[in-house]
Amino acid sequence: MSSEIFENAADAILKGDPAIATEVARKGLGEGIDPLTLISEGFVPGINKVGDMFESGKLFLPELVKAANAMQSATDIINAAIPEGEGQAQGRIIIGTVEGDVHDIGKTIVVSLMKANGFEVRDLGRDVSTDRFIEEADKFNADIIGTSALLTTTMEAQRRLEYQLKETGLKKRFKTMVGGAPITQRWARRIGADAFAENASEAVKKARALLEAV
Ligand code: B12
């Protein structure tokens, strides 16, 4: 039953056990559960709980790191099970986690789903400077620059990117998308980003809408 798999998935993250997380991920996929559902209904509630417990001082950095490793093991397997899309390219996206921020689990899920939906994606990884986003977007001839920020202190880099794009006259050339746990539609509007998405499937929809609007 998938509800049992989802519970086991969350449990594996809470225990911070990569071996169990891997096993549950394989089992879920083997039972035909949709990869994205397996992540969002199973593993994400687990890592969110860990985040809340960390915030309230019920667990500490070593446990957070263990949970993150378990999450990484599960999402590596699940991301690899999302097939790359075929046919005509939908558009070109450059994406990464902003400078000073190493959180990349959610960003990598977005990358997998974008690829599955036929976008050409260049993933710059994490801790990416605004200068590098702009340089790489130019080289890649990107339609969209997507940035992920998970810390309230690193969100500011998204604003900096908007500022730099405007200053260099490149704002018209690239659309921008922002995401990450503390990011909201309101923040996107405030800094002048073209789109915000709360999760990976919404990111695909918003990216399509941005390209249609061109
Ligand atoms: C796992 C984790 C870690 C791992 C990260 C491992 C990795 N490789 O990513 C490790 C252990 C390294 C870590 C470190 C730290 N962390 Co941490 N971490 C988390 C945790 C628990 C989960 C994040 C996660 O993976 N979520 C699951 C994914 C699937 O969700 P997501 O990232 O939100 O992504 C989805 C959407 O946001 C969206 N999305 C994401 N990116 C993008 C991009 C675009 C373009 C779009 C459109 C959409 C989009 O789609 C994704 C898929 O649905 C969060 C708590 C939380 N609930 O967010 C804390 C959290 C973010 N961490 C926190 C902190 C404090 C830290 C540390 C400072 C701890 C420390 N004392 O050292 C360090 C900072 C290191 C650094 N410089 O970056 C705080 C931040 C508080 C704040 N106000 O800023 C949080 C909120 C925990 C808490 N509640 O206190 N962390």
Side-chain angles (χ1 to χ4, degrees):
M1 255 192 27
S2 48
S3 61
E4 197 185 320
I5 297 266
F6 296 154
E7 270 173 37
N8 293 343
D11 242 30
I13 303 304
L14 283 163
K15 284 197 186 100
D17 190 325
I20 303 179
T22 303
E23 197 188 306
V24 178
R26 291 218 171 97
K27 191 157 179 239
L29 292 172
E31 288 186 10
I33 301 175
D34 166 64
L36 210 61
T37 310
L38 184 55
I39 294 183
S40 61
E41 312 255 321
F43 293 101
V44 167
I47 197 75
N48 282 343
K49 187 142 188 228
V50 169
D52 292 345
M53 288 165 82
F54 176 73
E55 195 175 0
S56 58
K58 290 196 186 99
L59 57 77
F60 300 97
L61 197 56
E63 287 102 334
L64 179 67
V65 172
K66 276 175 77 186
N69 288 340
M71 185 75 184
Q72 190 85 62
S73 309
T75 50
D76 281 354
I77 290 170
I78 300 173
N79 283 332
I82 301 177
E84 284 208 16
E86 284 166 14
Q88 192 129 30
Q90 296 269 332
R92 297 162 81 85
I93 302 184
I94 202 137
I95 190 166
T97 302
V98 298
E99 192 161 18
D101 199 326
V102 303
H103 296 86
D104 64 353
I105 294 172
K107 180 268 300 160
T108 309
I109 298 171
V110 174
V111 169
S112 299
L113 206 68
M114 289 283 188
K115 284 185 181 164
N117 281 278
F119 287 92
E120 274 182 72
V121 186
R122 173 129 165 67
D123 182 358
L124 300 179
R126 52 199 190 177
D127 193 15
V128 181
S129 69
T130 42
D131 285 348
R132 181 141 183 260
F133 272 115
I134 296 173
E135 271 164 39
E136 296 286 342
D138 180 35
K139 272 195 234 154
F140 188 60
N141 198 18
D143 300 300
I144 300 174
I145 304 177
T147 54
S148 184
L150 268 284
L151 298 169
T152 44
T153 48
T154 57
M155 292 166 63
E156 211 37 56
Q158 294 179 330
R159 193 210 296 268
R160 231 169 25 242
L161 178 67
E162 296 298 329
Y163 178 79
Q164 248 171 274
L165 286 173
K166 277 186 207 110
E167 284 290 291
T168 49
L170 290 167
K171 182 63 191 167
K172 284 194 202 83
R173 187 169 156 205
F174 307 116
K175 297 280 177 198
T176 52
M177 272 183 89
V178 289
I183 308 307
T184 58
Q185 181 61 57
R186 193 156 167 252
W187 170 251
R189 208 175 302 124
R190 212 164 105 197
I191 65 172
D194 298 298
F196 155 73
E198 195 162 14
N199 55 46
S201 36
E202 207 187 299
V204 170
K205 281 190 211 138
K206 293 279 179 85
R208 281 208 185 108
L210 280 182
L211 296 181
E212 273 161 21
V214 174

